[in-house]
Amino acid sequence: MPEAALPPTPAARLRDILQLRFTPLFAALPARMLEPISPASPWKRLLKVAGYAGLRLVGNMLHKVRNPDELRGKVWLYTVSQNNYDALHFLREARPDAVLVAGQSKEIGRYNGQVNRLSLRRKLLYYGQLPGVYRALRRTEGERAWRFFDLIFNAIGYYEVYRRALRHYRPRAVVFANDHNDDARALLLACHAEGVPTAYVQHASVSTNFPPLGFDLSLLEGQDALDKYRQCGPVRGQVELVGMPKADAFLGQKNQRPAVRRVGVACNTLDNTEAIRETLAYLLREFPALTFTFRPHPGDPRDFSFLRQQHPQLLFSDARQQNVFEFLQQQDALIAADTSTHLEATLLNLASLYFRFGTHAVADDYYGYVAHGLVPRAATLPELAALLRGYQQHKPLDLYQRATYYNATLGTSDEGHSRHRAARLLDKWLEDVA
């Protein structure tokens, strides 16, 4: 991508980097979900900025990065989360020149000690941009610039520091598993500016609220993802449909039980605590013969220990310690709202049911799973019970076939070999761009 095609000013770059933060969808998130990201109180936002400045900006300056791997000339696998690591690690195994990389101090869950770090010690030097950037964003984004002032503050300097890192290390390419987080988008723009080839491995279901696909090579799971990205804007570069690499080891172990006996209940940070409590109480009362396992999202900070006290028979899955497929292997059915776990469950031939925990207006069939027939929807607890009773009596053995639109290798000779397909395509692409 030529330099002229990049956002021309620091404010324009920040707007590109933070574009998901300035959408109506983000602003409409429930207060309990938005609060830890960007507090509603201006004073708390200022305190958050002060904390970031002290702990991250100054803290990073005081700690020199020492990496176990050589980064110069390598293929970088850039991770921003534990899920990203899981999605990209297969390339680390497939390519001796691939190294896992994250920003300094980035939280990668249980893999914190297993990734190389890009120094952010110089990020503090770019905060002279802040007054001009804020004024420009205030003109284009209005009140949202002040509402998310702390996120603007946090994002400043990523682009410039990452450009410097790219010039220093000259990686052969950078492979992403995230296309919308602030630091990932900053690195993507930096790669475009420095002429470093970029690739993308889809790590979860996508939505039409994502930024346009902006990589030189995009390895998507299926037609659903490509159709959605086309709605997001122009699709850049080469696109290949490769299935779901992280599911390879589990697709040969589809659930063959003819009836549901074990039910997983998964929630995310959008779901209402009281609605979760009511739903579990109802299900445990209505289905005493079934075994229920509750699994909060790995990023959910809420304390659900009260559920253990109220329901001693309820099992728990720790998403920070147990892989989602390992969790699903222990279930026959899944109940959840807006989560890509529905797709993963269907791939393993679980009976997956869409049920919203609460009435927030942010997402309703966010990924289109109900609309495209992947999973049935229950609008009320009695409807949920009726669906579950049907599967308790009989669970079909071909439920996984509903996922063909989402996973391009399902039912083909490449089923269960998405890792090999993705690695082959990446190898060929790297040869072509060398």
Side-chain angles (χ1 to χ4, degrees), residues 12 59 62 68 104 116 133 160 178 184 202 204 218-219 231 277 301 346 351 371-372 382:
L62 299 176
Q104 187 176 358
N116 299 280
V133 163
E160 292 82 1
N178 181 289
Q202 180 189 343
S218 295
L219 303 177
Q231 295 180 59
R277 186 194 66 77
T346 304
H372 285 100

Side-chain angles (χ1 to χ4, degrees), residues 213-323:
L213 204 56
F215 304 87
D216 300 311
L217 171 69
S218 295
L219 303 177
L220 304 183
E221 293 175 359
Q223 191 63 42
D224 167 74
L226 181 55
D227 289 346
K228 285 175 179 171
Y229 273 121
R230 283 171 173 161
Q231 295 180 59
C232 296
V235 173
R236 169 193 169 99
Q238 177 185 346
V239 176
E240 299 287 349
L241 306 183
V242 300
M244 188 185 291
K246 65 182 180 181
D248 279 353
F250 304 94
L251 289 183
Q253 306 167 41
K254 295 183 180 69
N255 187 299
Q256 298 297 309
R257 293 178 182 269
V260 165
R261 295 291 179 266
R262 307 164 302 173
V263 183
V265 179
C267 79
N268 60 36
T269 51
L270 274 173
D271 298 325
N272 179 270
T273 304
E274 181 59 23
I276 293 169
R277 186 194 66 77
E278 291 177 358
T279 301
L280 285 169
Y282 178 88
L283 291 172
L284 289 164
R285 183 175 65 251
E286 292 290 316
F287 296 94
L290 298 183
T291 300
F292 288 89
T293 302
F294 179 62
R295 180 182 172 94
H297 188 276
D300 198 327
R302 287 175 289 182
D303 181 4
F304 288 105
S305 58
F306 70 93
L307 292 174
R308 294 182 186 273
Q309 298 169 2
Q310 294 176 359
H311 308 292
Q313 74 272 41
L314 180 64
L315 303 180
F316 284 77
S317 168
D318 185 348
R320 298 181 183 90
Q321 300 298 325
Q322 186 181 39
N323 178 285

Side-chain angles (χ1 to χ4, degrees), residues 1-314:
M1 187 175 186
E3 181 89 28
L6 291 164
T9 66
R13 285 194 293 271
L14 260 293
R15 189 175 187 277
D16 189 313
I17 289 168
L18 292 165
Q19 60 181 280
L20 199 63
R21 307 298 194 185
F22 292 133
T23 61
L25 176 78
F26 184 76
L29 289 174
R32 60 181 171 74
M33 186 175 180
L34 197 54
E35 191 70 13
I37 303 172
S38 178
S41 165
W43 297 110
K44 288 184 178 180
R45 290 201 296 277
L46 289 172
L47 284 174
K48 185 168 175 278
V49 163
Y52 182 89
L55 293 175
R56 287 293 180 90
L57 296 180
V58 176
N60 285 341
M61 290 183 68
L62 299 176
H63 293 89
K64 186 174 182 179
V65 169
R66 290 181 173 86
N67 287 315
D69 298 318
E70 172 60 58
L71 303 188
R72 191 171 278 103
K74 302 294 185 177
V75 176
W76 289 4
L77 311 176
Y78 187 74
T79 72
V80 300
S81 69
Q82 184 174 293
N83 286 340
N84 276 201
Y85 182 101
D86 289 334
L88 292 176
H89 190 261
F90 77 95
L91 292 173
R92 175 70 180 89
E93 298 172 344
R95 295 191 61 89
D97 63 343
V99 291
L100 286 149
V101 174
Q104 187 176 358
S105 303
K106 189 72 175 181
E107 178 60 44
I108 314 294
R110 63 178 179 267
Y111 304 123
N112 266 335
Q114 301 179 41
V115 296
N116 299 280
R117 301 290 178 164
L118 297 178
S119 174
L120 295 172
R121 299 175 79 189
R122 293 176 178 269
K123 193 171 183 284
L124 184 62
L125 302 177
Y126 298 96
Y127 276 81
Q129 300 174 359
L130 182 59
V133 163
Y134 177 73
R135 285 194 300 270
L137 290 176
R138 184 80 182 203
R139 287 193 295 269
T140 60
E141 308 304 323
E143 286 298 317
R144 284 183 187 161
W146 171 240
R147 173 61 187 86
F148 299 120
F149 169 79
D150 50 337
L151 302 184
I152 295 171
F153 184 90
N154 294 355
I156 284 177
Y158 274 126
Y159 169 79
E160 292 82 1
V161 170
Y162 280 161
R163 281 195 70 173
R164 182 183 179 88
L166 293 172
R167 288 194 297 268
H168 177 72
Y169 291 113
R170 297 310 306 175
R172 186 176 177 187
V174 179
V175 184
F176 298 78
N178 181 289
D179 67 337
H180 54 274
N181 273 33
D182 310 346
D183 53 337
R185 290 202 59 75
L187 180 56
L188 176 60
L189 289 182
C191 287
H192 289 169
E194 295 297 328
V196 176
T198 58
Y200 170 61
V201 176
Q202 180 189 343
H203 87 278
S205 291
V206 303
S207 91
T208 54
N209 294 293
F210 282 13
L213 204 56
F215 304 87
D216 300 311
L217 171 69
S218 295
L219 303 177
L220 304 183
E221 293 175 359
Q223 191 63 42
D224 167 74
L226 181 55
D227 289 346
K228 285 175 179 171
Y229 273 121
R230 283 171 173 161
Q231 295 180 59
C232 296
V235 173
R236 169 193 169 99
Q238 177 185 346
V239 176
E240 299 287 349
L241 306 183
V242 300
M244 188 185 291
K246 65 182 180 181
D248 279 353
F250 304 94
L251 289 183
Q253 306 167 41
K254 295 183 180 69
N255 187 299
Q256 298 297 309
R257 293 178 182 269
V260 165
R261 295 291 179 266
R262 307 164 302 173
V263 183
V265 179
C267 79
N268 60 36
T269 51
L270 274 173
D271 298 325
N272 179 270
T273 304
E274 181 59 23
I276 293 169
R277 186 194 66 77
E278 291 177 358
T279 301
L280 285 169
Y282 178 88
L283 291 172
L284 289 164
R285 183 175 65 251
E286 292 290 316
F287 296 94
L290 298 183
T291 300
F292 288 89
T293 302
F294 179 62
R295 180 182 172 94
H297 188 276
D300 198 327
R302 287 175 289 182
D303 181 4
F304 288 105
S305 58
F306 70 93
L307 292 174
R308 294 182 186 273
Q309 298 169 2
Q310 294 176 359
H311 308 292
Q313 74 272 41
L314 180 64

